[in-house]
Amino acid sequence: MEKLTDLIVEKTSKTPQIELKYSSGEISLTGRSLPENATRIYEPVLNWVGKYIAQPQPVTNLRLKIEYFNTSSSLWISKIVKTLTRINNPDYRLMVHIYIPLEEYDDMKLSGDLRDSFNPFTDILQDSIPEVSLKLYATDDSSKVIRDALVLF
């Protein structure tokens, strides 16, 4: 099997910075995701992730620093997450890192169980093969991390 190479897609005013780094197991999406044609942006990412899960790293970090996204972007991001849950090794770990504004983070903490705030997301993760952890980060206006919480599944 050929070695998977990194994939970097530079951000635009409507698309996120996408960094897929095989050797470190780092997958990150940063910025806004409002593409007119989400397939053009996310299909290569999904194809890369499909190849990645065949020969993954022991720990995969999916970092979602998406400020805003449209419906078509959320569908593609869901497909990417679902594919990562198919890493075929129960001893491997998928860490999903979600960065949200401090105000939203505080609202979630006040409402009770953080897990309940992510029910649609956790539905995707429920049949996961690798161990999955979700880490939330509260960020200030300059995207600096102020607080964090680990939610285990």
Side-chain angles (χ1 to χ4, degrees):
M1 189 172 264
E2 72 181 73
K3 186 173 191 259
L4 193 58
T5 58
D6 294 351
L7 175 64
I8 308 293
V9 179
E10 296 299 324
K11 78 175 188 173
T12 69
S13 61
K14 292 188 175 187
T15 62
Q17 174 82 15
I18 300 171
E19 297 180 5
L20 311 173
K21 298 181 177 179
Y22 175 72
S23 63
S24 64
E26 291 286 327
I27 299 170
S28 68
L29 289 86
T30 306
R32 299 170 58 87
S33 187
L34 307 164
E36 308 244 344
N37 182 351
T39 302
R40 184 178 59 79
I41 299 301
Y42 288 107
E43 190 171 51
V45 175
L46 186 60
N47 290 337
W48 187 94
V49 168
K51 292 175 186 170
Y52 174 83
I53 67 167
Q55 48 186 351
Q57 298 300 327
V59 176
T60 300
N61 287 291
L62 173 61
R63 298 183 186 280
L64 300 174
K65 300 177 190 177
I66 303 292
E67 299 164 16
Y68 186 81
F69 52 90
N70 60 16
T71 304
S72 59
S73 294
S74 70
L75 294 172
W76 279 98
I77 293 168
S78 295
K79 289 178 188 180
I80 292 164
V81 172
K82 185 69 171 173
T83 301
L84 287 169
T85 66
R86 299 289 156 237
I87 292 173
N88 198 15
N89 190 326
D91 295 328
Y92 280 30
R93 173 175 281 177
L94 171 60
M95 289 284 300
V96 181
H97 305 263
I98 299 178
Y99 298 78
I100 59 176
L102 179 60
E103 185 177 299
E104 290 178 35
Y105 178 91
D106 286 342
D107 288 346
M108 279 187 226
K109 291 282 270 190
L110 288 174
S111 70
D113 192 3
L114 284 173
R115 288 182 200 210
D116 291 341
S117 300
F118 288 92
N119 273 343
F121 192 75
T122 56
D123 290 346
I124 294 171
L125 302 175
Q126 74 181 14
D127 295 324
S128 180
I129 296 170
E131 181 179 307
V132 177
S133 299
L134 175 65
K135 189 156 186 185
L136 300 177
Y137 300 89
T139 59
D140 64 13
D141 292 338
S142 65
S143 298
K144 180 181 175 192
V145 173
I146 304 298
R147 296 190 192 117
D148 62 52
L150 183 62
V151 182
L152 299 172
F153 295 98

